[in-house]
Amino acid sequence: MKKLSVVEHRIVCKDDQYNSFPSIAMRRDGTYIMTFRRAPDWQKTFGHVSHIDPASFAAKLESPDGNNWDSAPSVLYDDFFCGVQDPRLHVLRDGTLMCTFFKWKVTEKGDPVPEGSFSHNVYGKWTGTLVGSFSIRSTDGGDTWDEPVQLPGTNVAIQGDCVEMEDGSVLALTYGQDNGVSNVYVLQSPDRGLTWTQISAIPGCDGYHFHEPNLRLTPSGKLVAFIRTAKVSKDANPGLPNSPLYTAESLDGGLTWSRPVPRAHYSPSPFHVLDLGDDGVFVSYGYRYEPFGIRAFLLNPECDNCEEAEELIVREDGGGSDIGYTSAARLHDGTILLTYYYFDKTGGIRYIAGTVCSLQE
């Protein structure tokens, strides 16, 4: 098994906006595209930040080589009425780009919201209501996108990457609460994102909510779900971590799943997985405990050595817990560009950062 090491840290996009939740992908022509959530920075106005903002949208950067990026972002997708959250890019075998995201609609506090809707208080003045999760597609490399298709399920969000199966179908994982516990839902599209159906679920267990899953297809055809967790209540599992990584596996294309298993790695941030071929699987995440930063580890191609994986501390100089949401891509020279959002000090601007990592024998 090769070893990971840090080469250098970079700033990818830093200005006066709140830039967060990046997703990077290499297009079939070898160029790179990145999307992320972009919104105004309200820290000076409200004293803190919220991830619910009707002005948020999916921004876009492009690069010929993963090293040199556009000087300023453009719009990938925006919505007139709703804030766009957690855009994620996926490249299908035929070159089609797919982007998934979910939306928040913000209304005056006290205004009626649909019965049973999942909502949040926003700065004590407004209510943010989850509208649903969506996918869009581009067949011209990301220049134009078709109209959003809503994914099935009420009160569900999406954050992780999709997987294209050998038969051309696409699987996506959403998450949302049912009877007070957040579960993972497995969706399938037979037509590259034109239609979706739910085929199974991975229920939260052991006193944990299941949030923000990511998905990996191994060479043997096994599916592995990497799931962020949070305790259902403070009293659940006393003495155990608040947010351990859980994994679950499927041997039948996502129709049934093994009982989820806790792993040694933990943080209230999603775990991104990047296929490195024979070099294994690069797993990265934001470490939202002191010392705040970014961490990663390398698994074998079948992802069955979680307990033995050696963790790399990518950096530990973050200004607080509002960091992470990693996404990585292999560069042409074999190094890995790990992207994430970050800030350096209290009240600091959130920006898209990158770290180049190398693999060594």
Side-chain angles (χ1 to χ4, degrees):
M1 202 75 181
K2 292 186 176 181
K3 299 287 187 179
L4 290 168
S5 63
V6 173
V7 177
E8 64 175 356
H9 302 307
R10 299 173 176 176
I11 293 175
V12 178
C13 182
K14 186 176 184 180
D15 51 24
D16 62 351
Q17 299 292 289
Y18 189 104
N19 299 309
S20 55
F21 312 127
S23 175
I24 182 175
M26 185 177 72
R27 290 178 285 212
R28 199 165 63 164
D29 65 358
T31 62
Y32 294 82
I33 182 171
M34 180 190 300
T35 186
F36 55 93
R37 174 190 180 272
R38 184 169 170 86
D41 182 8
W42 295 107
Q43 292 185 87
K44 293 181 180 179
T45 303
F46 298 110
H48 64 283
V49 295
S50 171
H51 292 169
I52 303 173
D53 190 328
S56 63
F57 64 93
K60 178 180 71 170
L61 292 172
E62 298 186 58
S63 170
D65 54 11
N67 295 306
N68 302 286
W69 293 88
D70 296 335
S71 58
S74 57
V75 176
L76 187 149
Y77 177 78
D78 199 359
D79 185 287
F80 185 82
F81 286 106
C82 300
V84 178
Q85 187 78 18
D86 289 17
R88 302 295 298 186
L89 288 169
H90 325 279
V91 181
L92 304 184
R93 286 194 294 269
D94 67 352
T96 298
L97 291 180
M98 182 181 294
C99 183
T100 57
F101 51 82
F102 63 98
K103 298 182 188 180
W104 293 103
K105 187 172 184 180
V106 178
T107 57
E108 294 284 352
K109 190 175 181 180
D111 283 358
V113 298
E115 185 176 353
S117 295
F118 186 75
S119 60
H120 274 287
N121 183 296
V122 183
Y123 296 123
K125 296 175 176 288
W126 301 279
T127 298
T129 303
L130 179 60
V131 174
S133 296
F134 301 83
S135 66
I136 55 176
R137 309 187 317 163
S138 173
T139 57
D140 57 11
D143 291 334
T144 61
W145 297 82
D146 56 15
E147 290 299 311
V149 174
Q150 186 159 5
L151 306 183
T154 58
N155 294 332
V156 294
I158 188 167
Q159 208 286 324
D161 292 342
C162 296
V163 160
E164 186 175 13
M165 305 296 287
E166 288 300 318
D167 63 1
S169 63
V170 178
L171 298 186
L173 302 182
T174 59
Y175 63 99
Q177 286 200 15
D178 182 26
N179 294 322
V181 177
S182 183
N183 307 312
V184 169
Y185 302 102
V186 184
L187 310 182
Q188 182 183 64
S189 174
D191 46 21
R192 293 180 170 82
L194 293 177
T195 60
W196 296 89
T197 57
Q198 181 183 323
I199 61 172
S200 63
I202 308 173
C205 63
D206 299 338
Y208 289 106
H209 291 297
F210 280 1
H211 294 153
E212 298 178 322
N214 232 306
L215 191 59
R216 155 75 176 152
L217 178 65
T218 73
S220 70
K222 178 178 67 177
L223 289 164
V224 184
F226 293 76
I227 306 168
R228 171 189 172 177
T229 66
K231 286 187 176 182
V232 173
S233 69
K234 292 181 180 179
D235 299 328
N237 290 337
L240 293 181
N242 287 329
S243 301
L245 166 66
Y246 265 64
T247 63
E249 299 180 352
S250 174
L251 301 178
D252 57 8
L255 295 176
T256 62
W257 293 83
S258 64
R259 192 185 192 284
V261 176
R263 300 301 182 181
H265 309 278
Y266 61 94
S267 183
S269 181
F271 295 78
H272 181 260
V273 291
L274 171 67
D275 180 15
L276 299 177
D278 293 339
D279 289 330
V281 177
F282 179 76
V283 184
S284 58
Y285 64 100
Y287 192 73
R288 291 181 153 191
Y289 302 109
E290 293 188 41
F292 305 108
I294 306 297
R295 301 191 178 193
F297 54 94
L298 197 62
L299 297 179
N300 62 35
E302 288 297 318
C303 301
D304 56 13
N305 63 326
C306 280
E307 302 311 308
E308 296 81 35
E310 182 178 346
E311 190 169 62
L312 170 69
I313 298 177
V314 176
R315 62 191 305 177
E316 48 184 355
D317 57 352
S321 62
D322 188 30
I323 58 173
Y325 282 74
T326 57
S327 178
R330 197 89 182 253
L331 300 184
H332 298 306
D333 63 1
T335 60
I336 300 163
L337 177 59
L338 172 59
T339 64
Y340 45 91
Y341 83 104
Y342 216 63
F343 74 106
D344 306 310
K345 60 184 179 179
T346 301
I349 198 76
R350 273 57 167 178
Y351 61 92
I352 306 302
T355 298
V356 177
C357 298
S358 67
L359 292 170
Q360 299 169 338
E361 296 293 346

